[in-house]
Amino acid sequence: LKDSQFELIHFPEEHIKILLKETQGQTPMRPSAHDVISAFFLKRAAKEWNRPGDQLSMSSAFDFRRILGRDWPTYFGNAVQGARVELE
């Protein structure tokens, strides 16, 4: 951790509401607060760390139950899996 950098960022509820409003109509899914905060950090990282010629990608645990429709109370199982996306 000697070379690590840490930054504490506070997200006021009003800022999250603005981010959620900006995503309305851009996707058929209903983004969560977690979705927009993750996208915010990804865009920030892309701007700060991406150099010409680099391939930027993001990996994260993703809960596929919302997409698969398996969020009913009687569902027993785990639909969390690693997901990776490469950005241009």
Side-chain angles (χ1 to χ4, degrees), residues 38-56:
S38 296
F40 173 86
F41 281 117
L42 180 60
K43 287 179 182 180
R44 183 176 170 185
K47 288 178 185 176
E48 291 181 17
W49 298 336
N50 199 20
R51 295 181 300 251
D54 285 353
Q55 179 62 53
L56 185 66

Side-chain angles (χ1 to χ4, degrees), residues 6-85:
F6 296 92
E7 181 179 359
L8 180 62
I9 299 175
H10 294 277
F11 279 91
E13 186 175 346
E14 190 59 37
H15 185 69
I16 294 171
K17 287 179 183 178
I18 290 168
L19 293 172
L20 285 167
K21 188 174 181 181
E22 288 175 357
T23 64
Q24 289 178 346
Q26 295 181 16
T27 176
M29 304 212 41
R30 193 184 81 224
S32 67
H34 180 268
D35 295 331
V36 296
I37 291 171
S38 296
F40 173 86
F41 281 117
L42 180 60
K43 287 179 182 180
R44 183 176 170 185
K47 288 178 185 176
E48 291 181 17
W49 298 336
N50 199 20
R51 295 181 300 251
D54 285 353
Q55 179 62 53
L56 185 66
S57 65
M58 181 184 91
S59 297
S60 181
F62 187 81
D63 187 348
F64 286 91
R65 288 178 288 192
R66 186 165 30 153
I67 292 173
L68 298 174
R70 297 237 167 56
D71 56 353
W72 58 85
T74 58
Y75 175 73
F76 180 80
N78 187 348
V80 177
Q81 182 175 348
R84 182 172 180 255
V85 62

